[in-house]
Amino acid sequence: RSFPFKIDTPGKILSQKIHHALLDLPETYIEEYRKNITAVSAENIAQRIEDHFSKDDLVISVLGSKESTLQQIQQQIQPDQTIVVDYQSLITS
């Protein structure tokens, strides 16, 4: 929901137009942005992700209190695939 703030002044619009020109995006990119975003479906996103990423290569990192997050995480993934690393072991002196 932050896109409108990227184009709320003439200077920001010009900046976006220059940025899009450098990226070789169409001149109508800003005008059609919302329409293009709403045209994307969850299925389309899932397919694009599957085209580039394998579930076997997926690693999810979560930083938080073991007591408050571990059980919630293990409800979503297989518990035997959960590795808990104490943050203090990552600190080097």
Side-chain angles (χ1 to χ4, degrees), residues 50-62:
E50 289 175 8
D51 289 347
H52 299 282
F53 298 99
S54 164
K55 292 179 183 176
D56 297 331
D57 297 327
L58 181 64
V59 174
I60 300 171
S61 298
V62 177

Side-chain angles (χ1 to χ4, degrees), residues 6-19:
K6 292 183 179 184
I7 57 169
D8 63 349
T9 67
K12 288 181 182 179
I13 292 171
L14 178 61
S15 176
Q16 287 293 318
K17 290 281 190 179
I18 292 169
H19 183 77

Side-chain angles (χ1 to χ4, degrees), residues 53-91:
F53 298 99
S54 164
K55 292 179 183 176
D56 297 331
D57 297 327
L58 181 64
V59 174
I60 300 171
S61 298
V62 177
L63 176 61
S65 168
K66 178 180 166 182
E67 291 77 21
S68 64
T69 57
L70 182 60
Q71 184 178 8
Q72 294 174 8
I73 293 168
Q74 288 181 333
Q75 289 173 352
Q76 300 298 318
I77 63 173
Q78 297 175 359
D80 63 325
Q81 295 180 343
T82 305
I83 300 170
V84 176
V85 178
D86 187 313
Y87 77 95
Q88 292 178 339
S89 70
L90 303 173
I91 299 173

Side-chain angles (χ1 to χ4, degrees), residues 6-56:
K6 292 183 179 184
I7 57 169
D8 63 349
T9 67
K12 288 181 182 179
I13 292 171
L14 178 61
S15 176
Q16 287 293 318
K17 290 281 190 179
I18 292 169
H19 183 77
H20 299 146
L22 291 172
L23 294 175
D24 201 26
L25 296 171
E27 286 188 32
T28 58
Y29 182 84
I30 291 175
E31 292 81 4
E32 296 180 359
Y33 180 82
R34 287 183 52 152
K35 179 183 78 168
N36 292 335
I37 292 298
T38 56
V40 176
S41 68
E43 293 81 21
N44 183 262
I45 293 170
Q47 183 60 51
R48 296 291 75 79
I49 290 171
E50 289 175 8
D51 289 347
H52 299 282
F53 298 99
S54 164
K55 292 179 183 176
D56 297 331

